[in-house]
Amino acid sequence: MRFTDSRLNRIQDKISAGDRLTFNEGLALYDTRDLLGLGALADAVRRKRHGNRAYFVYNQHLNYTNICANTCLFCAFSRKEGEPGGFTLSMDEVREALAQRADEPIRELHVVGGLNPALGLGYYLELLETIRSARPEATIKAFTAVEIDYLSRTSKLSLQETISKLMAAGLSMLPGGGAEVLSDRVHEKLFRKKIDAGRWLEIVEAVHRAGLKSNATMLYGHIETAEERVAHLCRLRALQDRTGGFSAFIPLAFHSKNTALSHLPATTAFDDLKAVAVSRLMLDNIEHIKAYWVMIGEKLAQVALSFGADDLDGTIIEEKITHMAGATSAKGLSRNEMIRLIESAGFDPVERDSFYRPVAGATVPGKETSQ
Ligand code: SF4
């Protein structure tokens, strides 16, 4: 296939030769107006890796507190101590939240929260142990690098000691958040109190070296430039070359409602699909690219499966963080709804666990699921 944008032809030749794309080529991909050409390039790479398979996980989100010492301008989730709407779950409330879904085949608990100064390492260890005893068969994917840094600092333990205590209590994987955009300029303007790019990369490297997989994300659609987006992808790619610890990359579309940046418009479908396709092409060493339906909507996530994404994330059940920032997507989807979204986009659904192993007996009969 040849494209109207000659830059895409050159990039296609490089991909066919197995060559890595450069920073400038990443910029060209973001700059092109040939969205369908960009999508075709990303789709070819996606199909080479995953064929016609599209993954999803049966998961549950658990936000243990939204009290937070930080003041990130893009956040609609956090509250100060004593502010209306603030919450911190007791262990009884954690058990209750899990018990409400006890009859569902949940494979993964996604657990994140704010930096609540009232909570020490003991709370986090108890939280993990409580989840593990209620859901021994599920993977606990918990705490971003921001929370790991907070725990290490407040407990005065080294990063390695902090991580190993969490692992002993049940931590099995890290989600990808907290980096936002790996740019000192954006950090200074939007999330000065949160860890910076260097510390985020240092923590994630330590997590990977401890033997845990993590995801990686990029929050886009606020004040970041195309150069900063591509630099973010290149920094993740360089870390992945060293550790191999990233499982999936998830572009996160910014939602501004109820934040200090509420004057900013929503991302467009053009931008959302580009974010998926460019990441598929630049991140040649990260196996999976997710179209996170909560942020871009179920319908566009379905389209994104043909623009480089191979995973729709999960059923979720009660997403809070993005809905507090104005997301209009559903708060959760059933397994049948996930399967319908994937099948009607022309792909074969594969229900997976946190590590992309197909869940026995849960996939579509007669369709190939091995990877
Ligand atoms: S994004 Fe996270 S660290 Fe920042 S204010 Fe919100 S909860 Fe706190």
Side-chain angles (χ1 to χ4, degrees):
M1 184 190 303
R2 301 314 271 175
F3 304 103
T4 48
D5 183 337
S6 60
R7 296 173 299 180
L8 297 190
N9 291 324
R10 287 195 294 276
I11 288 171
Q12 184 180 39
D13 292 342
K14 274 192 82 168
I15 294 169
S16 301
D19 293 339
R20 174 164 277 190
L21 302 185
T22 64
F23 174 84
N24 284 336
E25 285 160 344
L27 275 185
L29 292 172
Y30 259 120
D31 184 62
T32 186
R33 307 303 297 169
D34 184 1
L35 180 66
L36 294 182
L38 172 64
L41 284 178
D43 187 54
V45 172
R46 175 242 191 274
R47 285 182 183 278
K48 203 166 169 196
R49 283 179 180 270
H50 303 293
N52 211 43
R53 296 183 292 278
Y55 299 90
F56 71 98
V57 63
Y58 204 124
N59 64 349
Q60 179 176 4
H61 281 200
L62 191 70
N63 302 120
Y64 56 93
T65 185
N66 67 346
I67 309 288
C68 188
N70 281 354
T71 49
C72 306
L73 298 189
F74 49 75
C75 182
F77 172 70
S78 69
R79 298 287 184 275
K80 293 292 161 215
E81 184 68 55
E83 196 182 332
F87 67 86
T88 299
L89 299 185
S90 67
M91 290 311 133
D92 282 344
E93 288 169 322
V94 170
R95 275 187 281 271
E96 171 60 23
L98 298 174
Q100 282 174 10
R101 307 282 175 183
D103 56 346
E104 296 181 41
I106 289 165
R107 300 279 161 186
E108 176 184 282
L109 272 302
H110 172 100
V111 184
V112 291
L115 306 185
N116 184 341
L119 304 181
L121 182 60
Y123 175 92
Y124 287 78
L125 298 178
E126 207 184 341
L127 177 63
L128 291 169
E129 284 158 1
T130 301
I131 297 170
R132 184 169 58 179
S133 74
R135 275 280 179 198
E137 71 292 353
T139 299
I140 306 178
K141 182 181 77 173
F143 314 138
T144 67
V146 179
E147 290 153 289
I148 302 287
D149 169 75
Y150 168 78
L151 283 172
S152 168
R153 280 190 291 109
T154 55
S155 64
K156 300 194 177 8
L157 295 175
S158 69
L159 264 182
Q160 287 70 20
E161 286 170 311
T162 308
I163 295 164
S164 74
K165 277 185 182 294
L166 295 169
M167 287 172 73
L171 180 69
S172 295
M173 187 179 176
L174 252 67
E180 319 313 348
V181 179
L182 294 165
S183 147
D184 292 340
R185 184 191 73 88
V186 178
H187 177 258
E188 183 62 22
K189 285 191 180 298
L190 297 190
F191 54 106
R192 196 181 311 160
K193 289 176 80 176
K194 193 184 253 186
I195 57 172
D196 64 11
R199 180 68 172 159
W200 189 90
L201 291 165
E202 179 191 349
I203 291 168
V204 173
E205 181 153 2
V207 165
H208 290 173
R209 295 208 183 282
L212 292 181
K213 291 278 184 190
S214 81
N215 290 332
T217 61
M218 176 176 71
L219 185 72
Y220 67 92
H222 41 86
I223 64 164
E224 85 292 354
T225 63
E227 285 81 1
E228 286 162 343
R229 291 183 189 184
V230 177
H232 179 98
L233 298 177
C234 290
R235 293 181 87 172
L236 294 178
R237 190 172 69 180
L239 178 54
Q240 180 75 340
D241 278 344
R242 293 201 298 280
T243 68
F246 288 123
S247 176
F249 175 76
I250 311 141
L252 302 176
F254 176 53
H255 286 251
S256 68
K257 198 171 168 192
N258 302 323
T259 76
L261 302 173
S262 57
H263 57 285
L264 293 179
T267 59
T268 64
F270 201 89
D271 212 17
D272 294 335
L273 291 176
K274 267 192 173 181
V276 169
V278 176
S279 59
R280 178 61 287 162
L281 293 169
M282 290 298 291
L283 298 175
D284 54 17
N285 53 3
I286 297 184
E287 193 63 20
H288 300 281
I289 304 291
K290 281 190 197 181
Y292 189 38
W293 61 264
V294 168
M295 286 188 154
I296 61 174
E298 300 88 322
K299 292 180 179 178
L300 194 62
Q302 200 183 23
V303 176
L305 291 175
S306 295
F307 279 74
D310 60 277
D311 187 341
L312 286 188
D313 194 78
T315 51
I316 294 178
I317 312 169
E318 199 132 28
E319 198 284 335
K320 280 198 179 76
I321 295 176
T322 314
H323 284 87
M324 287 170 85
T328 55
S329 52
K331 289 196 172 176
L333 292 175
S334 69
R335 177 198 262 153
N336 284 346
E337 285 169 323
M338 296 295 292
I339 289 172
R340 193 175 72 85
L341 279 178
I342 291 169
E343 283 190 331
S344 58
F347 291 89
D348 300 333
V350 179
E351 184 177 340
R352 62 169 177 84
D353 67 8
S354 301
F355 307 103
Y356 286 88
R357 294 175 297 217
V359 172
T363 49
V364 177
K367 297 195 172 157
E368 183 207 1
T369 56
S370 61
Q371 60 170 329

